[in-house]
């Protein structure tokens, strides 16, 4: 039988696109979960809707993670180059890594990031 | 004492499947030489062969070609029994499972493009699941799903169109 594009083919292709669309739309909702790790171990997993300061001891000193008004940032860190502090407030699905002090802050489900990937 | 000889006589179908699997392995090797934008995303050209076999000789034949291609391709590329082999095998098995169902879709309405897209989705979903559960258990890869599904959609449609064209040429 000669095989051209059939109705079902368009249907399957469109359904596939719809599925991708739905998944893409609900992608990084920060969904309130904040995970702070020290040396790979979960130090604290909290809800980002509570304002608080989390003090994480590491090999260099104390890293302070600030949670305010549903936003998250590393307020201070003993690392020499201050990369994670200068990153500022995190967007949904982002992570800040203070490698020298072995602290990581992940907010929500991780979206694409070159380190983890 | 006479030496006992066990001779396995390959049927015509065996020979044909072996030849088709060899074509599929060839495509796998060619594909491995193409630089790719993201690890994990590739055109999956060998699946063109699998789909043609499925369309003409049924699911059993397609399963043979697909599994032979995965194992022989991995041996040729030196990835046999490595994580990338496991990913490849899980993707292949998942798409074969989906195709075992999809092959019963009425052909009047569903052509090779449907099968190709469905198999592509199953392939990448299984690979992401294995990668997430086994290789990177600490990180959620769910966020990457739209990216990989888009790639699977594109390659699925393109491969499906190629299969359709090849089958058309055969008929006319």
């Amino acid at each position: 039988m000669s095989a051209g594009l059939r109705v079902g083919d368009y249907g399957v292709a469109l359904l596939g696109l719809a599925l991708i669309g739905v998944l893409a739309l609900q992608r990084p909702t920060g969904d309130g979960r904040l995970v702070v790790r020290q040396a790979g171990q979960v130090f604290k997993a909290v809800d980002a809707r509570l304002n608080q300061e989390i003090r994480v001891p590491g090999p260099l000193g104390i890293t302070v993670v600030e949670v305010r008004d549903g936003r998250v940032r590393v307020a201070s860190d003993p690392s020499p180059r201050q990369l994670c502090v200068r990153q500022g407030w995190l967007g949904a699905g982002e992570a800040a890594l203070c490698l020298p002090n072995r602290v990581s802050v992940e907010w929500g489900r991780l979206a694409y990031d070159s380190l983890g990937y | 004492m006479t030496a006992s000889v066990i001779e396995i006589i390959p049927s015509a179908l065996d020979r044909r499947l072996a030849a088709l699997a060899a074509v599929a392995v060839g495509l796998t090797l060619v594909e491995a030489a193409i630089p790719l934008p993201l690890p994990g995303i590739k055109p999956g050209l060998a699946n063109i062969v699998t789909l043609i076999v499925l369309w003409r000789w049924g699911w059993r034949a397609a399963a043979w070609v697909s599994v032979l291609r995965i194992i022989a391709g991995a041996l040729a590329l030196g990835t046999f029994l490595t994580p990338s082999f496991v990913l490849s095998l899980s993707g292949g098995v998942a798409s074969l499972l989906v195709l075992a169902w999809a092959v019963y879709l009425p052909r009047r309405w569903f052509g090779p493009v449907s099968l190709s897209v469905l198999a592509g989705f199953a392939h990448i979903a299984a690979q992401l699941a294995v990668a997430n559960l086994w290789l990177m258990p600490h990180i959620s890869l769910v966020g990457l799903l739209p990216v990989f599904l888009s790639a699977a959609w594109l390659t699925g449609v393109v491969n499906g169109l190629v299969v359709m064209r090849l089958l058309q040429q055969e008929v006319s």
Side-chain angles (χ1 to χ4, degrees):
Chain A
M1 64 187 286
S2 88
L5 267 180
R6 290 149 223 198
V7 189
D9 292 340
Y10 292 107
V12 169
L14 283 179
L15 270 180
L17 280 184
L19 175 68
I20 294 168
V22 168
L23 286 174
L25 280 182
Q26 55 175 227
R27 205 156 46 132
T29 59
D31 71 3
R33 294 289 296 164
L34 174 70
V35 178
V36 180
R37 290 180 204 268
Q38 213 286 313
Q41 308 292 318
V42 175
F43 177 80
K44 206 165 186 192
V46 292
D47 195 313
R49 284 174 299 186
L50 259 77
N51 288 351
Q52 59 187 307
E53 260 189 14
I54 304 168
R55 304 172 73 81
V56 193
L60 294 185
I62 288 178
T63 301
V64 180
V65 179
E66 184 185 4
V67 183
R68 182 176 301 281
D69 305 331
R71 297 188 302 166
V72 182
R73 69 166 177 172
V74 178
S76 77
D77 180 67
S79 307
R81 293 205 276 169
Q82 300 285 305
L83 291 177
C84 57
V85 179
R86 281 198 248 146
Q87 195 171 346
W89 297 102
L90 298 183
E94 284 185 1
L97 305 175
C98 309
L99 286 183
N101 210 23
R102 312 194 68 188
V103 173
S104 78
V105 181
E106 299 163 23
W107 193 26
R109 279 181 310 175
L110 283 187
Y112 177 86
D113 87 275
S114 54
L115 274 172
Y117 187 52
Chain B
M1 170 177 165
T2 53
S4 76
V5 176
I6 298 173
E7 197 177 353
I8 299 172
I9 303 165
S11 69
L13 182 63
D14 289 341
R15 290 177 194 280
R16 188 183 290 142
L17 291 185
L20 287 162
V23 173
V25 170
L27 286 173
T28 304
L29 296 184
V30 168
E31 193 175 82
I34 303 173
L36 300 158
L38 268 176
I41 292 181
K42 55 182 183 174
L45 297 175
N47 298 319
I48 293 172
V49 181
T50 309
L51 282 170
I52 290 178
V53 172
L54 178 78
W55 200 259
R56 292 198 52 185
W57 291 292
W59 185 82
R60 274 180 63 95
W64 266 114
V65 168
S66 179
V67 172
L68 281 176
R69 192 271 300 170
I70 289 166
I71 294 174
L75 285 174
L77 288 173
T79 58
F80 188 57
L81 296 186
T82 63
S84 95
F85 169 75
V86 175
L87 285 178
S88 165
L89 187 64
S90 56
V93 169
S95 21
L96 283 174
L97 288 179
V98 165
L99 286 175
W101 162 80
V103 80
Y104 293 111
L105 288 172
R107 291 197 171 183
R108 253 187 81 185
W109 295 307
F110 296 95
V113 176
S114 297
L115 300 188
S116 183
V117 170
L118 289 173
F121 272 28
H123 195 271
I124 201 64
Q127 289 192 326
L128 266 186
V130 169
N132 205 164
L133 293 178
W134 180 49
L135 296 175
M136 302 184 227
H138 305 298
I139 309 168
S140 168
L141 295 180
V142 177
L144 291 174
L145 205 50
V147 180
F148 281 107
L149 280 183
S150 307
W153 186 87
L154 188 67
T155 58
V157 168
V158 171
N159 286 347
L161 289 173
V162 172
V163 171
M164 194 182 85
R165 198 35 76 79
L166 288 174
L167 287 168
Q168 274 174 340
Q169 280 180 353
E170 218 163 71
V171 172
S172 56

